[in-house]
Amino acid sequence: MSGSKAALKAAKAAIDKGHYEDAVTNAQKVLAVDDRNYHANVFLGVALEKQGKDDDAERAYVRATEIKDAEALAWQGLVSLYEKQSTRQFDGYRRASTRLAEIYMNGDDKVRCRSVLEKFQSTAKEKGTRAQYRDALQILLPPNPLYQYLEESLPRLDTAYKILAAIIESEEREQINKEIGERRTRLGARLGEVTLEVKREVLGRSKLEDVYQNVIDWSYDDDIRREYEEKQLQHAYDTLEALQLTQKPDKRATVQKLAEGMVIIKHPFKLAWDIAIEWQDRESLTTLDYGTVMEYVRRFPTTGLGKTLQAYLGSDLCPLPPENTSPKVTDGIKDAEEDEKAFSMSANDRLLLMTEGVQESSHSPLSHRILAEFFFHLEEYESAVETTRRTQKLLHSEKRKSGLRFQDTLDAVDIVLGNSLIYYQTPKNHPEARSIFEDVLTRKPTLTSALIGVGLIFEEQEEYKDAIEYFNRAIARDPSNVKIRAEAAWCRALTADYSQAQAELESCVDRIEGKDTRAQHLKAQILYRLGVCSWQLDPSPAARKDRKGAYARFLAALQADMNFAPAYTSLGIYYADYAKDKKRSRKCFHKAFEISASEIIAAERLARSFADQKEWDLVETVAQRAVESGKVNRAPGSKRKGVAWPFAALGVVELNRQEYARSLLSFQTALRISPEDYHSWVGLGESYHNSGRYIAATKALEQAQAVDAQAPKSDTERTWFAKYMHGNVKREVGEYDEAVQVYEDIIDLRPQELGVLIALCQTLVDGAWRCLENGYFGKAAHWANRAIEVVQSAAKVRAFTFNIWKTLGDACAIFTVAKIHVADFPRTLTVRLLDDGQDVSAYALLADVDDVKQDILQRLSREPEAKTAMKGILHISILAHKRALHIAAEDRHSHAVAWYNLGWAEYRAHVLLSRDRQSGKTSQSSRYMRAAVRCFKRAIELEAKNSEFWNALGLVTARMNPKVSQHSFIRSLFLNDKNARTWTNLGTLYLLQDDVHLSNQAFTRAQSADPDYAHAWLGQGFLALLTGDTTEALMLFTHSFEISDASTVANKRQYALATFDHILTSDAVPTASDFIHPLFALYQLKLESENDWSIMHMFSLFLERIGSYSLAIENLKPLIGLDGENEPSSPSVIPSEQLITASADLARLSFATKDYPAALKCANAVREKLSQHANSVSKLGKDGQEKCRTSAILTASLSHYHAGSLDQAAEAFQPALQDPANEADVTCLLAQVQWASGDREGAKASLFESIENNPGHVLSVMLLGVIAVLDDDHEALDAVFDDLQGLRTSNELSGEDKRRVDKLLRAIAALASASEEDSSVAETAEVMTSIMLSPSSSSAWSQLAALTDDPYPAESALETARRNVQHVGDVSPEELATAFADTGKAVDMQRAIMTAPWMEVGWNGLCSVLSG
């Protein structure tokens, strides 16, 4: 024992000296003897702690505390040890400090006790977490015994509780966020459900409300108390929202208690006031506490509910007594001013404020309920339905949050919804409304609003008997209810039982008590209905004019309620129809419609009055508001008819504004409501027409006419406008015949209708131009005549009309194109129209320039019809446009158009008159040109942004001033760069100036702008000619001709010329199809331009090509001044070069018709004129002269030959032999003549000489071979055989020449054979050689088929011919027919006949097959 004490002393000394290792050794010695030695464990713990062995030291201290728990020494060691590692051993530190403080408390050492705890709290605050600091704070808070021991020395606890509250708030917030973040990632988790679940768990076990209460209890500062009361209420409310329904009652009671306390002391915490007001379950708003409501408005005027309540108070809907709705001075002058402001609001401001409040308080059921009832009060049923449905959702949401049932509130909202559904989209919503009322009546059988609602449903469905029955049942339940009795009586009135209804309504008036707004409104309604009964009981004008009858009732209704709209409507009808006071009636209708948009009758009367005054904006406003009222549409299943006039009115307004898409919708809606509305069909057709949908417009207008046909006779005479619009549509789509017929039908009914007459004139002229485009010149002239006749009728109605004279000028222009019908022009009528003595000064316009004035009319009236016909027509057209110009002086746009039209008339005169004159006089034409330039410039001055005006100026100045022309075209393209005509004109200008590059660019732009514009392709064709690409030029000219209309001259001319040049230069043999289109083109050109020598000459050449020699001669004779008897007419005016060319052609054609004397005469005339006028025919050129001379020589020679003068024929060939270019061909002709005349040796000599001079001449070789075969001259055959074999393989020979060579070689082979059998073999060998050289030749296969009995060659010939037709196209009909016939089949014989019916081979073969 003594050793243990010594060891303890040694350990204590070692610790004091800092020898901690020795202290550990000595303490362990003691513990080895006595392990429960308290001091040894303490010394061991101290030594180990000093050595940094905290865990071993902790174990030593703990053993010591277990030995003596009431001793402070070991606990002091533990506190010291834990203090150094407080963040790691906070729980031990807290436990040790608490126990040490308790030991000091037991020893009554307050100083040391407080010091230990304060040091622990300080360490926890500085180094610990929020949770550790929270636990540290709770040591010195009630009900801890340490707090009771140190209470007197501690400061007030409100600060500690506030710190504790802040810590708990942060912990809960972090825990909620953390849990939500973790749980929301689970499969199927929803954020709302997860949030609610987490809040329920965290807030359900929260002690924060108790901490808030402690802060409130311990704090002396009222601001702090209010702050934590708000936090307490908010926390309790949040907890209430998160709890299960069964857990809510207790917490709800706490929340209500806290909220009521704040309201009592008038603390401005919005949540408390919201709970106090929103949680009240009231069947009617009449039970609202005015003081609470007004206090809420004063304290929260800018909140959503505050604005809604502010708008609600003082409104007609507010059910509070008048004495409660007047401002009271409660809290001073300021509050009184605010009250006064709340009650002095206008109705519009009140609605705006209420709507704004609802938007800001989107979760407030009371705010939405007030707005819903206000909408129903204003008869805005759609808005009322939407708002009540939102209110129901909010109430159910609030029910889930608070656990309250809100049954009375839900019933009240359901009643508003049911009443709104009665009138909204009736009768669609009637079943829903009825179910709502019946559901409410199961809980409240005597509820008046529900009883009336069911009856009103029957009333709205026009089931008046059922409504009366239901109202009677309701009266039995509630006999004192005046509202039900009034509705029952009104249903009787609607069944035409006005007497009984009047009596019942009279009794209802006496039952009304009270002066509140609703009572007065009911009284006004009953008085109005009494007035209606009186009005209907005696419909005589005298009774209705009586101011003591229905009129007095309507006035009494307004005296009861100045805002009762139906009474204003009835008074308006009274003033309009009986008192004849338009001013008052309009005011009444305006007031009725202003109060209620459901007053459709008042709206219609207003709209009609505004329409009569052309106030379309007001018409639109009235109609739009009527549509938005919801009273005009007919719901499916409803007996109530829809109202179409608002939509028709909107359609008319939008039609006037050119908003055609919207007008279409309006008229379509009107027609869905009223399909028999004639005017809506007309409006729909006009809208379709103006928007370019002509087919739909046609259908709509046809339907309008069908509706019109069913109308009384008195109405059909007023409904001609549909036919007129129908005619306009037909005109727009190009159906001019039908349009003309429609206009004429209208004129039969209304002969003085100027608009229809003008439309008919313009349609006739437009149709005439279309006929010209299609080539129907006769019909065009006929329609132009009819247009002039209609102009005469229109001028009798009103001569001072721009379109009349414009149409007259256009009609005259038709004859300047259809020149073959100039004789049909009604010159006498047109002169009489223009020379009517009116607007004489108009003809003096530009008379100093173009010399076209009134004197011309007098001169034309004296001249015969046929004399200077074209000039007279042009002058009449110019004068008509001058007349139109004079009339259009007041309208700037029409004036500009008139100048433009006059300019074109002047330019047309310039073009046509200069073309028709063969003399050199062009002064008159130049006057027209100068006048045209002035006209177009004047048009541009009036309307500089019209691209067509600039284009016209550029066109007329193209030769006069190219720079001005270019500027004009570019300006036109700046205004409209999509105009293909302008681009083409610009390209033509560049072409005239030899700028090929710019011209090509312009023509390309024209083609891009409009690929169907023919003149752009024509211009490209000219460019191709300039570059020498004749093939491309022909393709372009052909395409231009194909897409052009019949009235264009240049396209047809150039196409015919290019085609003829191609036929001359092409190696291919032209077919009949190559001549069809050029012939048609030239024929039309011939009709349009009778005096055009080049066209008639070209026409004759084409006729010659197709073998129409007689017709060609008839066309050529006028060109050389011969009449039908070959007598000269006026050859002096024909240029020499034209006369020579035409004579040469006529000589050739006469020879073709075997008129040899005429051919000789013309040929000799050509030779004579060429010798006499060599200098005057320089235009022909040397080559042309030689061709004409050669043609005349050959024609004369051949004519002599065929006339029997062989010697003269041979002699006549001699001059032609002097031409090296034609020597070989002429020699061949000479050889044939010599052979025919018997000079065979001379023929051979001529051919040998020709071959010697022209080794490659095919015809010479072939003729020599033929002569050798005929003469059986083997020596000559040997001479030509090799040449013929060379020609056979030559690529320069045409297909026809090769066939001739093959035929000749077969003949040579046959003649060279010794026997007939050898001859057949030789021919077959030659044919097979031909097939080897040209296997695609069907003719060679046909020849082989003729030589053999094998069917294969015939089939091969047919197959080859078919393929050549499909892929090559150079097989003639005769060749294909022969291939068909060679097969020997009946079906192929028929095909041969169909292919070439003029050939005998098909017919003979078919006969053989059928007979054999």
Side-chain angles (χ1 to χ4, degrees):
M1 191 67 180
S2 59
S4 297
K5 291 182 178 180
L8 284 173
K9 290 181 179 180
K12 177 69 170 63
I15 290 171
D16 293 339
K17 294 179 181 180
H19 300 159
Y20 303 117
E21 192 67 36
D22 296 337
V24 170
T25 302
N26 290 320
Q28 289 176 344
K29 289 180 181 179
V30 176
L31 292 175
V33 178
D34 183 10
D35 60 347
R36 292 186 61 81
N37 190 298
Y38 176 77
H39 290 91
N41 280 293
V42 171
F43 292 156
L44 178 61
V46 172
L48 291 172
E49 179 185 357
K50 296 298 184 180
Q51 290 180 337
K53 300 178 180 180
D54 295 339
D55 294 338
D56 295 337
E58 180 183 6
R59 285 193 289 272
Y61 285 139
V62 170
R63 285 196 299 272
T65 59
E66 292 175 351
I67 296 170
K68 293 183 178 180
D69 181 64
E71 290 291 334
L73 186 61
W75 291 106
Q76 287 176 348
L78 276 175
V79 168
S80 175
L81 177 65
Y82 288 145
E83 184 178 352
K84 293 188 298 182
Q85 50 180 345
S86 58
T87 57
R88 188 168 63 88
Q89 293 287 348
F90 181 79
D91 291 338
Y93 186 25
R94 176 175 59 79
R95 185 170 60 253
S97 298
T98 303
R99 181 57 186 151
L100 181 60
E102 291 175 351
I103 293 173
Y104 289 146
M105 178 184 68
N106 294 331
D108 196 21
D109 190 347
K110 292 185 177 181
V111 175
R112 299 178 71 180
C113 177
R114 179 179 176 182
S115 175
V116 169
L117 293 176
E118 288 180 347
K119 189 172 184 181
F120 169 64
Q121 289 181 341
S122 176
T123 303
K125 180 179 180 181
E126 293 176 0
K127 299 181 181 181
T129 63
R130 281 199 302 265
Q132 293 170 350
Y133 185 42
R134 178 198 63 202
D135 293 340
L137 287 174
Q138 289 178 343
I139 296 175
L140 289 178
L141 293 177
N144 197 309
L146 292 173
Y147 165 74
Q148 297 176 357
Y149 174 67
L150 298 173
E151 180 178 7
E152 296 178 355
S153 61
L154 292 175
R156 292 191 59 80
L157 299 183
D158 56 340
T159 303
Y161 277 118
K162 286 192 288 186
I163 296 172
L164 183 60
I167 293 173
I168 296 175
E169 287 174 358
S170 300
E171 289 178 343
E172 290 183 355
R173 184 167 54 251
E174 291 177 359
Q175 186 178 3
I176 289 172
N177 294 335
K178 178 182 177 182
E179 290 295 328
I180 291 174
E182 292 177 354
R183 298 185 188 184
R184 67 179 300 181
T185 58
R186 297 174 183 173
L187 291 176
R190 296 181 180 179
L191 181 60
E193 296 176 357
V194 169
T195 302
L196 188 63
E197 180 184 353
V198 171
K199 285 186 176 181
R200 184 183 299 124
E201 294 176 2
V202 175
L203 298 180
R205 60 174 180 264
S206 174
K207 302 297 182 182
L208 188 57
E209 294 177 31
D210 296 335
V211 176
Y212 288 148
Q213 187 61 46
N214 287 326
V215 174
I216 295 169
D217 294 340
W218 285 97
S219 177
Y220 289 142
D221 191 337
D222 287 340
D223 293 337
I224 294 176
R225 291 166 63 87
R226 299 291 87 80
E227 177 186 354
Y228 280 88
E229 285 174 354
E230 293 176 1
K231 289 186 176 183
Q232 187 181 26
L233 176 59
Q234 185 66 57
H235 191 276
Y237 183 77
D238 294 341
T239 305
L240 176 64
E241 287 184 337
L243 291 177
Q244 297 282 358
L245 187 62
T246 57
Q247 301 172 335
K248 289 182 182 290
D250 295 337
K251 181 59 70 175
R252 183 176 63 247
T254 302
V255 172
Q256 286 180 313
K257 181 180 179 181
L258 293 173
E260 289 172 0
M262 290 187 179
V263 171
I264 290 172
I265 64 175
K266 297 183 179 181
H267 177 60
F269 182 48
K270 184 177 179 298
L271 177 60
W273 290 85
D274 286 343
I275 292 172
I277 293 179
E278 297 277 7
W279 283 12
Q280 297 181 27
D281 188 17
R282 301 181 184 275
E283 183 178 312
S284 173
L285 296 176
T286 56
T287 57
L288 284 175
D289 181 16
Y290 173 75
T292 303
V293 172
M294 290 299 297
E295 194 66 33
Y296 189 97
V297 172
R298 291 193 189 98
R299 297 191 178 277
F300 309 104
T302 59
T303 62
L305 181 58
K307 292 178 180 179
T308 304
L309 291 172
Q310 183 180 355
Y312 170 75
L313 293 171
S315 66
D316 295 337
L317 184 63
C318 182
L320 299 179
E323 58 271 14
N324 290 343
T325 57
S326 59
K328 298 179 181 179
V329 182
T330 54
D331 292 332
I333 298 175
K334 182 177 180 181
D335 292 340
E337 291 177 353
E338 291 176 355
D339 293 346
E340 183 67 30
K341 181 179 179 181
F343 291 102
S344 61
M345 236 182 291
S346 66
N348 291 335
D349 293 340
R350 198 176 299 279
L351 179 60
L352 288 174
L353 183 61
M354 193 177 293
T355 305
E356 181 181 352
V358 169
Q359 291 175 351
E360 294 179 5
S361 58
S362 58
H363 300 288
S364 170
L366 178 60
S367 184
H368 284 75
R369 177 184 176 183
I370 292 172
L371 180 62
E373 294 196 14
F374 196 71
F375 275 135
F376 179 75
H377 174 70
L378 297 177
E379 299 182 1
E380 298 288 343
Y381 301 117
E382 181 179 2
S383 301
V385 169
E386 293 176 357
T387 309
T388 49
R389 294 195 190 279
R390 289 201 301 268
T391 307
Q392 288 177 328
K393 293 179 181 179
L394 292 173
L395 282 171
H396 288 295
S397 175
E398 196 66 32
K399 184 178 179 180
R400 289 191 298 270
K401 292 179 183 178
S402 64
L404 294 171
R405 295 182 64 236
F406 294 112
Q407 189 60 59
D408 290 339
T409 304
L410 283 169
D411 288 343
V413 173
D414 286 345
I415 292 297
V416 176
L417 175 60
N419 286 326
S420 301
L421 289 174
I422 294 174
Y423 305 104
Y424 174 58
Q425 292 185 352
T426 178
K428 172 185 174 182
N429 296 316
H430 285 175
E432 182 183 357
R434 185 170 182 176
S435 65
I436 290 173
F437 291 134
E438 290 176 349
D439 180 61
V440 174
L441 287 173
T442 58
R443 292 185 296 272
K444 301 172 181 177
T446 60
L447 187 62
T448 303
S449 54
L451 291 170
I452 296 176
V454 179
L456 290 176
I457 292 175
F458 288 116
E459 182 180 331
E460 189 66 20
Q461 291 177 347
E462 299 183 6
E463 301 288 347
Y464 300 121
K465 293 182 179 180
D466 294 336
I468 292 171
E469 181 181 353
Y470 201 92
F471 282 133
N472 288 335
R473 289 163 52 192
I475 292 171
R477 292 185 181 182
D478 189 4
S480 62
N481 195 310
V482 179
K483 176 68 175 175
I484 300 176
R485 289 182 177 275
E487 290 298 334
W490 180 241
C491 287
R492 295 186 188 280
L494 293 176
T495 60
D497 189 0
Y498 298 111
S499 300
Q500 185 176 353
Q502 188 176 26
E504 293 179 0
L505 288 171
E506 290 285 1
S507 64
C508 291
V509 174
D510 300 332
R511 292 171 178 262
I512 297 176
E513 298 178 357
K515 301 296 183 181
D516 60 280
T517 304
R518 293 191 174 184
Q520 292 301 310
H521 178 77
L522 179 59
K523 183 177 181 180
Q525 186 182 60
I526 295 173
L527 289 170
Y528 163 74
R529 292 174 175 179
L530 280 170
V532 173
C533 291
S534 300
W535 190 274
Q536 297 296 334
L537 281 171
D538 190 355
S540 63
R544 292 190 173 181
K545 287 182 180 179
D546 186 7
R547 288 180 174 265
K548 295 181 180 180
Y551 174 80
R553 297 289 190 177
F554 297 146
L555 283 181
L558 291 178
Q559 290 171 359
D561 185 357
M562 291 297 295
N563 292 322
F564 191 71
Y568 284 108
T569 301
S570 298
L571 283 176
I573 296 174
Y574 169 82
Y575 286 123
D577 297 345
Y578 299 99
K580 304 302 180 182
D581 190 340
K582 292 184 178 181
K583 185 176 181 181
R584 286 189 177 182
S585 67
R586 184 167 179 174
K587 287 183 178 179
C588 289
F589 291 136
H590 187 275
K591 184 66 175 177
F593 192 62
E594 180 182 3
I595 294 172
S596 175
S598 299
E599 292 300 310
I600 304 301
I601 296 177
E604 183 177 5
R605 296 284 188 121
L606 268 181
R608 291 186 182 278
S609 64
F610 290 143
D612 292 339
Q613 298 174 5
K614 308 298 182 183
E615 297 178 1
W616 300 112
D617 291 338
L618 296 177
V619 172
E620 180 187 23
T621 302
V622 172
Q624 188 63 44
R625 190 165 180 235
V627 170
E628 293 171 355
S629 69
K631 290 291 185 179
V632 297
N633 290 316
R634 177 185 179 275
S638 175
K639 292 183 179 180
R640 182 173 57 86
K641 295 182 179 181
V643 182
W645 71 261
F647 298 102
L650 287 174
V652 172
V653 173
E654 290 153 357
L655 196 59
N656 287 331
R657 293 178 178 173
Q658 299 182 356
E659 297 176 358
Y660 304 122
R662 297 179 60 185
S663 68
L664 283 173
L665 293 176
S666 298
F667 284 124
Q668 287 170 349
T669 306
L671 288 170
R672 279 193 289 268
I673 297 173
S674 179
E676 303 301 319
D677 186 0
Y678 165 81
H679 296 286
S680 295
W681 281 113
V682 174
L684 180 65
E686 187 172 359
S687 299
Y688 276 131
H689 168 264
N690 292 337
S691 58
R693 299 167 64 179
Y694 300 117
I695 296 177
T698 301
K699 293 181 179 179
L701 293 169
E702 288 175 351
Q703 182 63 31
Q705 294 179 54
V707 172
D708 178 35
Q710 301 174 3
K713 182 64 178 177
S714 58
D715 292 337
T716 55
E717 295 181 357
R718 297 184 295 105
T719 55
W720 58 270
F721 188 73
K723 296 180 180 179
Y724 171 69
M725 287 303 304
H726 193 197
N728 289 346
V729 172
K730 293 295 184 182
R731 175 187 170 191
E732 292 291 345
V733 299
E735 297 178 2
Y736 297 109
D737 294 287
E738 297 182 19
V740 168
Q741 184 62 47
V742 171
Y743 291 140
E744 289 179 343
D745 292 342
I746 299 173
I747 292 173
D748 291 340
L749 295 175
R750 305 175 66 87
Q752 301 298 316
E753 192 64 47
L754 181 61
V756 181
L757 289 170
I758 293 176
L760 177 57
C761 295
Q762 293 175 338
T763 304
L764 288 168
V765 172
D766 293 343
W769 284 114
R770 176 64 62 83
C771 291
L772 291 177
E773 293 174 0
N774 295 331
Y776 304 131
F777 294 96
K779 186 176 181 180
H782 174 65
W783 277 29
N785 272 323
R786 291 179 61 189
I788 294 172
E789 293 172 359
V790 179
V791 165
Q792 182 183 21
S793 302
K796 292 178 181 178
V797 178
R798 186 183 177 190
F800 196 78
T801 304
F802 166 74
N803 285 329
I804 291 177
W805 305 106
K806 173 189 175 296
T807 305
L808 178 60
D810 293 341
C812 295
I814 299 294
F815 289 93
T816 64
V817 179
K819 298 176 183 178
I820 58 175
H821 296 283
V822 168
D824 299 331
F825 179 72
R827 193 176 68 182
T828 303
L829 175 58
T830 53
V831 170
R832 187 166 62 250
L833 279 171
L834 292 170
D835 196 13
D836 58 355
Q838 300 181 17
D839 300 328
V840 177
S841 59
Y843 303 140
L845 289 170
L846 298 179
D848 57 334
V849 179
D850 60 7
D851 198 25
V852 179
K853 47 192 174 182
Q854 189 183 11
D855 296 344
I856 292 178
L857 295 175
Q858 299 173 1
R859 185 169 64 250
L860 288 173
S861 63
R862 295 191 299 266
E863 291 179 354
E865 289 282 343
K867 188 176 181 181
T868 61
M870 180 57 68
K871 180 179 179 181
I873 293 173
L874 290 169
H875 286 171
I876 290 173
S877 177
I878 291 172
L879 290 174
H881 284 298
K882 287 184 177 182
R883 184 81 171 264
L885 177 62
H886 178 72
I887 293 173
E890 299 299 327
D891 187 345
R892 186 180 183 87
H893 175 70
S894 299
H895 201 201
V897 172
W899 278 110
Y900 175 74
N901 294 337
L902 178 59
W904 278 121
E906 298 279 5
Y907 183 71
R908 186 179 293 109
H910 162 74
V911 172
L912 294 178
L913 294 181
S914 65
R915 181 184 299 173
D916 287 342
R917 290 174 177 267
Q918 296 298 331
S919 63
K921 300 179 180 179
T922 58
S923 58
Q924 186 71 12
S925 300
S926 63
R927 291 196 190 99
Y928 298 135
M929 175 65 80
R930 291 197 300 272
V933 172
R934 290 185 60 176
C935 290
F936 291 136
K937 286 183 177 179
R938 182 57 179 154
I940 291 172
E941 290 175 2
L942 293 172
E943 195 171 325
K945 293 185 178 181
N946 192 312
S947 61
E948 294 295 334
F949 295 174
W950 286 101
N951 177 51
L953 180 62
L955 187 63
V956 298
T957 58
R959 292 189 178 275
M960 298 172 59
N961 193 330
K963 291 184 178 180
V964 173
S965 178
Q966 182 189 26
H967 170 76
S968 300
F969 287 139
I970 292 175
R971 182 64 180 174
S972 176
L973 291 171
F974 173 77
L975 297 172
N976 180 16
D977 62 349
K978 303 297 183 182
N979 193 326
R981 183 181 294 104
T982 307
W983 280 112
T984 303
N985 292 339
L986 181 61
T988 306
L989 176 66
Y990 290 141
L991 189 61
L992 293 174
Q993 302 302 317
D994 296 328
D995 195 330
V996 177
H997 178 68
L998 290 178
S999 179
N1000 180 56
Q1001 288 184 343
F1003 287 137
T1004 303
R1005 288 294 300 272
Q1007 291 169 321
S1008 300
D1010 184 4
D1012 293 331
Y1013 186 60
H1015 288 78
W1017 297 92
L1018 181 67
Q1020 291 284 23
F1022 283 123
L1023 291 177
L1025 281 180
L1026 289 177
T1027 57
D1029 192 347
T1030 56
T1031 303
E1032 179 70 16
L1034 176 61
M1035 292 175 58
L1036 292 168
F1037 289 143
T1038 303
H1039 183 67
S1040 172
F1041 168 73
E1042 290 173 348
I1043 64 176
S1044 65
D1045 55 61
S1047 61
T1048 56
V1049 175
N1051 304 80
K1052 292 193 286 285
R1053 180 197 296 270
Q1054 235 15 71
Y1055 168 66
L1057 290 174
T1059 303
F1060 191 79
D1061 292 340
H1062 173 71
I1063 291 173
L1064 291 179
T1065 58
S1066 176
D1067 294 334
V1069 178
T1071 61
S1073 60
D1074 295 331
F1075 298 97
I1076 294 175
H1077 292 297
L1079 276 171
F1080 277 118
L1082 288 169
Y1083 180 71
Q1084 288 185 341
L1085 285 175
K1086 175 178 174 292
L1087 295 178
E1088 297 173 28
S1089 307
E1090 292 182 352
N1091 297 326
D1092 194 320
W1093 185 91
S1094 61
I1095 292 175
M1096 296 181 70
H1097 183 238
M1098 181 61 64
F1099 186 53
S1100 299
L1101 294 178
F1102 268 99
L1103 289 174
E1104 180 186 6
R1105 285 279 175 166
I1106 65 172
S1108 297
Y1109 305 121
S1110 299
L1111 186 57
I1113 292 173
E1114 292 178 5
N1115 279 277
L1116 277 177
K1117 283 183 178 181
L1119 299 184
I1120 61 174
L1122 296 177
D1123 56 16
E1125 303 297 332
N1126 290 339
E1127 297 295 332
S1129 55
S1130 56
S1132 59
V1133 298
I1134 302 176
S1136 300
E1137 62 273 7
Q1138 296 180 6
L1139 184 61
I1140 292 172
T1141 305
S1143 298
D1145 294 336
L1146 183 59
R1148 188 172 61 253
L1149 289 167
S1150 298
F1151 173 77
T1153 58
K1154 300 181 181 181
D1155 188 358
Y1156 305 122
L1160 284 170
K1161 181 179 179 181
C1162 291
N1164 293 331
V1166 170
R1167 296 175 65 183
E1168 181 181 353
K1169 289 184 178 297
L1170 283 172
S1171 61
Q1172 293 177 356
H1173 305 283
N1175 297 327
S1176 61
V1177 294
S1178 56
K1179 291 183 180 180
L1180 285 175
K1182 185 177 181 179
D1183 185 59
Q1185 294 180 32
E1186 289 299 327
K1187 286 182 178 181
C1188 288
R1189 181 179 293 107
T1190 303
S1191 175
I1193 292 171
L1194 294 177
T1195 303
S1197 301
L1198 292 174
S1199 297
H1200 282 301
Y1201 169 76
H1202 285 284
S1205 304
L1206 300 181
D1207 294 336
Q1208 294 181 5
E1211 183 180 355
F1213 275 116
Q1214 297 305 319
L1217 294 174
Q1218 299 175 4
D1219 185 3
N1222 301 317
E1223 179 186 357
D1225 295 329
V1226 175
T1227 301
C1228 290
L1229 287 174
L1230 177 59
Q1232 293 178 60
V1233 171
Q1234 289 173 337
W1235 172 267
S1237 62
D1239 188 5
R1240 297 190 176 188
E1241 294 300 326
K1244 289 181 182 180
S1246 298
L1247 289 174
F1248 276 119
E1249 183 180 358
S1250 175
I1251 293 172
E1252 184 180 355
N1253 295 331
N1254 301 282
H1257 194 256
V1258 178
L1259 185 58
S1260 299
V1261 175
M1262 291 178 64
L1263 283 175
L1264 186 59
V1266 170
I1267 292 174
V1269 170
L1270 294 176
D1271 289 345
D1272 196 15
D1273 187 349
H1274 293 279
E1275 184 178 348
L1277 285 176
D1278 293 338
V1280 300
F1281 185 78
D1282 292 338
D1283 291 338
L1284 289 173
Q1285 290 290 353
L1287 292 174
R1288 186 185 225 177
T1289 58
S1290 174
N1291 293 327
E1292 297 179 358
L1293 259 67
S1294 65
E1296 183 63 26
D1297 287 341
K1298 284 185 178 182
R1299 284 192 287 272
R1300 291 176 181 175
V1301 171
D1302 290 339
K1303 186 176 181 179
L1304 181 57
L1305 286 172
R1306 289 200 306 273
I1308 293 173
L1311 291 175
S1313 302
S1315 62
E1316 183 176 350
E1317 183 179 353
D1318 293 340
S1319 174
S1320 178
V1321 172
E1323 282 191 68
T1324 303
E1326 288 297 331
V1327 170
M1328 294 181 69
T1329 303
S1330 299
I1331 292 173
M1332 291 296 295
L1333 293 174
S1334 181
S1336 61
S1337 175
S1338 61
S1339 61
W1341 285 102
S1342 296
Q1343 293 166 9
L1344 181 61
L1347 293 173
T1348 63
D1349 297 330
D1350 192 345
Y1352 175 75
E1355 294 175 358
S1356 298
L1358 179 58
E1359 185 64 24
T1360 304
R1362 280 177 170 174
R1363 292 184 178 180
N1364 289 342
V1365 169
Q1366 295 176 359
H1367 303 291
V1368 182
D1370 62 348
V1371 179
S1372 65
E1374 294 84 354
E1375 188 175 350
L1376 182 59
T1378 302
F1380 275 120
D1382 287 343
T1383 62
K1385 299 177 182 179
V1387 63
D1388 288 335
M1389 295 299 178
Q1390 293 174 346
R1391 289 170 179 162
I1393 293 172
M1394 291 296 297
T1395 304
W1398 59 86
M1399 291 187 65
E1400 296 180 358
V1401 63
W1403 295 102
N1404 294 334
L1406 183 61
C1407 291
S1408 300
V1409 172
L1410 294 177
S1411 62

